Amino acid sequence: MQNTEAEERKPPDGVKGIVSLQLVLLVFAGGLILMLLVTTVAIGFVGFRDHMVQELENHANDGAVAVGLSLSNAIDGNDRVAASSLIDATFDSSRYLKIRYENIAKGFVIEREAALIPPGIPEWFVQLIKLPSDDFRKTAQVVRGWQQLGTVTVSSHPAQGYVVLWLVMRQLVFVALIIGAAALLLLWLILRRTLRALTNLEVQAQAISKRNFRARAPAAGTRELAKVTLAMNQMANDLGQLFEGQAKLIQHLRKINNEDSATGLVSRRAFYQRVRTEVDSKDIYQRGVIALIQLGEFGQFNHEYGRKQGDLVLRQIAEPIRAFVRQYPGSFAGRLNGAEFGIFLPGVTAVDGHFWLEELIKTLDGVYSDSATGLEVAVYAGVAVVTEASDVDSLRAACDEALLVARAGAVTRCVLHEADGPVANGPADWQALLVDAIDNERIMMLFQPLVRASDGQVRLYQVQSRLEVDGEWVPASVFLPMTERFRLMARLDRLVLVRVLKLLETHPDMNFGMTIGSSAVADAAFREHLQSELTSAGALARRLWFNVPEAAVYHHRSDVGALVGMLRRIGGRLIVDRFGVGGAPFSYLRNLSFQALRIDASFIRHVDSIPDNRFYVESIVPIAHSRGVEVFVAGVETAAEWHELVKLGIDGGTGYHLARPVEQL
């Protein structure tokens, strides 16, 4: 499963809100820079303040001396008016806070005083630095000759000091902010470049946690991180190879157990196991036909041409059989033994099945005859009809009886075993009936709960459809093969989709699952319609699961890829259904983004007593879980099966043992 880079960068559950290492380092280093700058500004400012205090003290001393000399020599210090004029002239310079002249000889005092706080300077700043005004007061004597006239006291006004210090403070803070911002920016760039390797490793680790082993972190700039990156890349490569090897091993074992090595068709055991599942299942009543096909005189052919040529003929015979079953969704074929083959066609009538198999027998006879030049050979087929009372043994016996009749003529022949039952509709009748039922929306839905293995609660309701055909409600197992054959699945799935979306609105606490047919998956117009409906549905789409048969994944890979991409963007969920019988390789576990798979019922039947079935489920579960994919099962019909499946770690399942389909929720 592939995830976008944005998804991979999202913090995993449980670690949301935890600060990043880059932020921690940036805050720590930024704090140190801030402390350094504050300390530097404070030291510089205190030094400049001390200098300003000294300047104001000197200024006060010079002022006192100058005024004293003026009163002593330039004017008559005893002249009150002249002294007052001198003091006013000096005070008006605004450089003094207070000037006081006390004349002892004449007994008068002249005093001038200004406000302490200058305009434009915040009071808090004045209170913060508070210049020592008392230190700025200096006194000088006023004399004439040897006679002391009085004293003059001058206090320098700290306003200029406050103004200069306020200006210096702003300049220092501004420069500190510039330097601090530049330092933080440079630090951020350095940390970003240095820690980018850690970010890449984090993305890679999250990708590995989602079992995406193809993610690689680029080489880091520092030696230590470069070593860690190299180790992580090597680990991802090793894990990827381990996963691929495990998947290939299971695929190989499944092939050995379920496929015939000479023809590539399913083996005898696997064929009858699937037939038994289709026929004996309580979930649905399965109609259809089963055929046994035999190459006559094959022993003589092997004697004349050798076993190597015989194996070649078997492979040549298998090709048209394989092409034949691909035309009918849900059908399958296998090599039973020697020159005997089996074919199961679900949902078809006796007339249709017999007719189609006759055409196939003629094709096989041509292939066989061309290879057996000089020999009188024939192809025989015995066909039996699946009824509600059928089981595998009775069907096999019926096919054997029909096969004996076919062999009696010693010519290529397909014989249908006579069975009591109603006269079936032909293909043209079926098509007309299905079109009429879909056009008039004569459809009924049943809901089968998919039960969680962990707590027995319902995970979702799987929607099963019924069509009213010729006055009878027909199960999906009967009409779906014909619907697929006549390319009506897209129309049917549109009807089901509309009803399921309404159910999502009326049942906000429930999840639903619906199956999309193979031909609907391959229909671009249907996919566009599906996208439009799900987009309009908004959040409802996140509670809808779509089942796509594994065979559709195998035969319509690009179309399924487009469907998966659309569902991922919208939020819909995908289940690969009938997993294990569609023929798709395990590699799509890595290449497709789906949320769950449902193992076919043929692997679930008697899973508690058939080691091969148990081994298959046991092998699939950890691989799927390692990719974040849930594992569901179908066809659970006994408590022993369910108990064994829960022990194997499956996530949920459907079947008559768990819950029967219901008409009302």
Side-chain angles (χ1 to χ4, degrees):
M1 290 166 41
Q2 297 299 316
N3 297 291
T4 64
E5 184 175 341
E7 290 174 335
E8 289 178 342
R9 288 181 182 272
K10 291 180 181 178
D13 293 339
V15 298
K16 293 181 179 179
I18 297 179
V19 296
S20 65
L21 176 61
Q22 178 175 328
L23 180 60
V24 170
L25 293 176
L26 192 62
V27 170
F28 178 74
L32 291 179
I33 293 174
L34 179 62
M35 291 176 59
L36 178 62
L37 290 175
V38 170
T39 303
T40 303
V41 169
I43 292 174
F45 184 77
V46 169
F48 193 82
R49 177 184 178 278
D50 293 342
H51 171 72
M52 183 57 63
V53 169
Q54 185 64 42
E55 287 292 319
L56 290 174
E57 288 180 1
N58 293 336
H59 177 262
N61 186 67
D62 292 344
V65 172
V67 173
L69 288 175
S70 297
L71 291 174
S72 297
N73 300 319
I75 63 173
D76 184 1
N78 289 324
D79 186 345
R80 183 184 183 94
V81 175
S84 179
S85 298
L86 175 64
I87 290 174
D88 286 341
T90 303
F91 185 79
D92 288 344
S93 67
S94 300
R95 299 181 63 186
Y96 299 100
L97 177 65
K98 184 178 181 181
I99 299 178
R100 176 185 174 88
Y101 174 49
E102 184 178 355
N103 189 292
I104 301 175
K106 296 295 183 177
F108 62 86
V109 175
I110 301 172
E111 183 175 329
R112 304 289 185 270
E113 186 173 3
L116 178 63
I117 300 177
I121 304 299
E123 185 176 356
W124 64 264
F125 180 74
V126 174
Q127 296 299 325
L128 178 66
I129 65 172
K130 197 157 182 73
L131 295 176
S133 301
D134 292 342
D135 293 346
F136 306 154
R137 185 168 56 246
K138 300 298 180 181
T139 302
Q141 292 184 349
V142 179
V143 297
R144 177 169 293 175
W146 297 102
Q147 181 185 4
Q148 181 178 357
L149 301 180
T151 59
V152 60
T153 302
V154 176
S155 298
S156 292
H157 202 310
Q160 188 64 26
Y162 283 123
V163 170
V164 173
L165 288 174
W166 174 246
L167 179 62
V168 169
M169 171 64 77
R170 290 193 300 174
Q171 291 176 343
L172 286 175
V173 171
F174 178 75
V175 172
L177 289 176
I178 295 297
I179 295 175
L184 287 176
L185 178 61
L186 180 62
L187 176 63
W188 179 75
L189 292 174
I190 293 174
L191 288 176
R192 183 186 180 192
R193 181 176 179 84
T194 303
L195 299 179
R196 184 178 300 165
L198 285 180
T199 302
N200 294 330
L201 289 174
E202 179 186 2
V203 172
Q204 184 184 33
Q206 292 181 18
I208 291 176
S209 71
K210 296 178 175 64
R211 305 321 185 254
N212 176 14
F213 303 116
R214 293 182 295 177
R216 296 292 183 271
T222 60
R223 182 181 62 186
E224 293 80 2
L225 289 177
K227 290 181 178 179
V228 175
T229 301
L230 180 63
M232 284 288 291
N233 287 338
Q234 184 62 46
M235 182 183 70
N237 185 62
D238 293 343
L239 288 174
Q241 291 180 357
L242 179 64
F243 173 80
E244 291 296 330
Q246 187 181 17
K248 288 179 180 178
L249 175 61
I250 295 175
Q251 181 77 2
H252 177 67
L253 292 174
R254 183 177 75 166
K255 189 172 183 179
I256 291 176
N257 289 330
N258 296 328
E259 289 187 12
D260 174 62
S261 59
T263 62
L265 299 174
V266 300
S267 65
R268 174 188 178 88
R269 185 196 63 82
F271 177 80
Y272 280 119
Q273 180 173 303
R274 286 192 62 183
V275 171
R276 182 173 287 105
T277 302
E278 298 284 349
V279 173
D280 296 347
S281 175
K282 300 174 184 175
D283 280 348
I284 54 175
Y285 160 46
Q286 182 68 276
R287 292 181 183 175
V289 297
I290 183 173
L292 298 185
I293 301 172
Q294 194 175 79
L295 304 184
E297 311 301 332
F298 191 71
Q300 184 179 356
F301 180 91
N302 274 336
H303 180 74
E304 292 288 335
Y305 294 97
R307 292 189 176 276
K308 185 176 181 180
Q309 187 65 22
D311 290 342
L312 177 61
V313 169
L314 292 176
R315 287 194 293 271
Q316 292 174 342
I317 290 292
E319 284 303 318
I321 293 178
R322 193 177 289 109
F324 175 79
V325 296
R326 276 201 294 264
Q327 298 177 44
Y328 306 100
S331 62
F332 53 91
R335 182 191 174 199
L336 306 184
N337 53 54
E340 188 174 289
F341 299 85
I343 296 178
F344 184 84
L345 295 174
V348 304
T349 63
V351 175
D352 295 340
H354 186 217
F355 175 78
W356 297 333
L357 288 166
E358 279 186 326
E359 296 298 316
L360 173 64
I361 296 305
K362 293 177 183 177
T363 302
L364 299 181
D365 181 68
V367 174
Y368 190 26
S369 298
D370 290 343
S371 301
T373 306
L375 293 178
E376 292 294 332
V377 295
V379 179
Y380 312 112
V383 182
V385 180
V386 179
T387 66
E388 192 169 3
S390 298
D391 58 33
V392 172
D393 293 335
S394 64
L395 290 173
R396 188 184 304 173
C399 286
D400 287 339
E401 290 180 14
L403 195 58
L404 286 174
V405 176
R407 290 180 61 88
V411 294
T412 294
R413 189 181 177 192
C414 179
V415 175
L416 174 65
H417 182 266
E418 295 296 334
D420 296 332
V423 177
N425 295 309
D429 298 327
W430 262 112
Q431 184 173 12
L433 291 170
L434 290 173
V435 169
D436 179 66
I438 294 173
D439 286 345
N440 292 282
E441 299 187 12
R442 291 199 299 273
I443 182 173
M444 177 177 66
M445 293 193 301
L446 301 180
F447 309 96
Q448 184 168 33
L450 190 152
V451 178
R452 280 197 300 253
S454 59
D455 55 12
Q457 298 299 311
V458 176
R459 178 66 185 278
L460 60 92
Y461 288 92
Q462 185 63 45
V463 176
Q464 298 176 356
S465 55
R466 300 284 189 270
L467 283 182
E468 187 181 9
V469 177
D470 204 14
E472 176 186 359
W473 287 106
V474 180
S477 60
V478 175
F479 69 79
L480 280 183
M482 304 297 274
T483 309
E484 286 280 11
R485 180 188 175 195
F486 298 128
R487 301 290 178 180
L488 297 173
M489 278 304 304
R491 295 174 59 184
L492 177 62
D493 286 343
R494 288 190 184 207
L495 293 179
V496 175
L497 177 64
V498 170
R499 299 195 179 191
V500 172
L501 290 176
K502 290 181 179 178
L503 286 170
L504 290 169
E505 292 181 0
T506 56
H507 297 80
D509 57 340
M510 295 182 181
N511 296 326
F512 292 91
M514 63 169 288
T515 300
I516 301 179
S518 297
S519 59
V521 170
D523 189 332
F526 172 78
R527 294 198 304 272
E528 291 179 3
H529 172 77
L530 178 63
Q531 180 175 357
S532 175
E533 291 291 329
L534 294 181
T535 302
S536 301
L540 294 179
R542 298 185 180 91
R543 293 191 287 118
L544 181 55
W545 296 67
F546 293 94
N547 294 34
V548 175
E550 186 188 35
V553 176
Y554 183 63
H555 295 298
H556 307 289
R557 298 189 184 187
S558 60
D559 297 319
V560 172
L563 176 66
V564 168
M566 181 268 289
L567 291 178
R568 184 172 62 240
R569 292 190 299 271
I570 293 177
R573 302 181 182 184
L574 182 70
I575 300 176
V576 177
D577 205 6
R578 304 208 66 180
F579 185 84
V581 299
F586 270 39
S587 60
Y588 72 71
L589 276 173
R590 181 180 48 137
N591 299 326
L592 275 183
S593 175
F594 57 94
Q595 287 67 48
L597 57 85
R598 187 162 69 158
I599 300 177
D600 186 71
S602 60
F603 294 99
I604 305 306
R605 186 174 179 81
H606 300 310
V607 69
D608 56 308
S609 58
I610 299 180
D612 289 343
N613 288 358
R614 184 169 56 252
F615 170 77
Y616 182 72
V617 175
E618 188 177 20
S619 302
I620 291 297
V621 169
I623 292 181
H625 285 171
S626 72
R627 301 292 297 171
V629 175
E630 294 185 85
V631 179
F632 303 142
V633 297
V636 182
E637 297 188 355
T638 67
E641 291 173 352
W642 181 241
H643 179 71
E644 184 67 28
L645 290 166
V646 171
K647 286 199 304 182
L648 294 177
I650 60 102
D651 298 290
T654 59
Y656 265 37
H657 169 69
L658 302 174
R660 293 173 176 265
V662 296
E663 296 184 15
Q664 300 293 331
L665 293 172

